[in-house]
Amino acid sequence: MGFMTKRPVRIGVQIQPQHGSYDKIRDAVRRAEHLGVDVIFNWDHFFPLNGDPDGMHFECWTMLAAWAEQTTRVEIGALVTCNSYRNPNLLADMARTVDHISDGRLILGIGSGWFERDYDEYGYEFGTAGSRLDELATALPKIEQRYEQLNPAPTRKIPTLIGGGGEKKTLKLVAQYADTWHSFADPAVLKHKLSVLQGHCEREGRPIEEIEISVGVGGKGREGRSPDAPQVEGQPLYDLGARLFTMGTGGPDYDLAPVEPWLRWRDEINGN
């Protein structure tokens, strides 16, 4: 068993900004909010991550601003923003602006970056995994400081989601800065990573219960999923403490059918 948490289960969908026209993306956002998902994510890349590497693709943050106007209830964010692509002060200002457009529904998802083609074609220094994590460690306090200097201030404490599972650096940053930690860990890996995160939290003097545990699950392209996928896949993760479960869907069709059993499971678990 994992740590005890009273957090409700939440269901997210990552509408991948690849291989689909924007009208299809807009419609997928509309359908996802209508279905009742809790969070709609995109991602922060410049080229598709699978399928045709030169297929259709759209930029992350301009899209989030549009989603902020289009939606009324769901939280929105990137899963995740690449820290390398924007000055941290600018990113804080962008996040604050989308926070206001959305009336306080933005999650700042952020990570250190990894997709080398983005860096090469857009002129960023790729560096090493370690140097990119060091840059993220430098950026996170700058983002928080800039929030405090902006006029108007954010509408709320903008939640920070940090993605990644590196045990020495990433999970330390999670303990220091994150409201949510996201990974794609299976139950065995999640159990180990949570024990590492617990150690970092203890050294930071912070209860691990303050951090929402987020996992990527299911979704289109994951073959062999049955209608009871949440019980098969989600329950062991839930028992370890995971509470935000997100599945991805890409263009051209943005199939949301795999999300529906997870929404029913959420409502059963939460007693709705």
Side-chain angles (χ1 to χ4, degrees), residues 1-218:
M1 296 292 290
F3 62 88
M4 298 298 294
T5 177
K6 296 180 180 179
R7 291 178 181 273
V9 167
R10 301 200 298 159
I11 301 299
V13 61
Q14 183 186 54
I15 296 175
Q16 301 160 356
Q18 63 175 4
H19 304 311
S21 60
Y22 193 75
D23 64 325
K24 293 287 189 180
I25 293 172
R26 182 189 298 112
D27 179 65
V29 171
R30 178 193 61 79
R31 290 186 287 119
E33 184 169 51
H34 180 73
L35 277 175
V37 304
D38 298 289
V39 190
I40 304 176
F41 294 107
N42 59 8
W43 67 33
D44 189 21
H45 295 289
F46 306 130
F47 301 94
L49 298 187
N50 49 56
D52 179 359
D54 296 312
M56 288 190 290
H57 200 282
F58 291 97
E59 194 275 330
C60 168
W61 275 90
T62 45
M63 181 178 291
L64 287 176
W67 290 4
E69 283 285 7
Q70 177 187 346
T71 58
T72 59
R73 179 191 56 78
V74 292
E75 288 194 296
I76 58 173
L79 194 65
V80 289
T81 300
C82 177
N83 174 67
S84 307
Y85 301 160
R86 299 164 193 85
N87 174 288
N89 291 284
L90 171 62
L91 180 59
D93 202 342
M94 293 166 62
R96 180 281 310 255
T97 300
V98 176
D99 167 67
H100 275 264
I101 296 170
S102 66
D103 294 322
R105 293 181 289 114
L106 178 76
I107 297 169
L108 178 64
I110 193 166
S112 60
W114 63 273
F115 191 38
E116 190 168 2
R117 185 183 181 189
D118 285 350
Y119 287 80
D120 291 346
E121 296 216 25
Y122 277 58
Y124 296 107
E125 179 66 36
F126 188 58
T128 66
S131 69
R132 294 192 299 276
L133 278 166
D134 291 341
E135 290 171 2
L136 178 60
T138 300
L140 287 165
K142 290 182 179 179
I143 291 168
E144 293 192 350
Q145 291 162 12
R146 180 55 57 182
Y147 286 155
E148 297 175 357
Q149 297 168 335
L150 291 169
N151 183 15
T155 67
R156 63 171 180 169
K157 180 189 180 300
I158 297 175
T160 297
L161 177 155
I162 294 178
E167 296 180 11
K168 293 182 179 179
K169 292 185 177 182
T170 302
L171 292 182
K172 180 179 179 181
L173 293 175
V174 170
Q176 291 173 319
Y177 296 103
D179 300 284
T180 300
W181 168 54
H182 179 81
S183 78
F184 293 93
D186 62 30
V189 173
L190 183 64
K191 183 176 182 180
H192 170 69
K193 298 289 186 182
L194 285 173
S195 69
V196 176
L197 179 58
Q198 176 73 59
H200 285 300
C201 285
E202 289 172 357
R203 285 185 286 276
E204 293 295 326
R206 183 184 184 194
I208 192 173
E209 291 80 8
E210 291 183 0
I211 301 170
E212 179 182 47
I213 307 304
S214 169
V215 289
V217 295

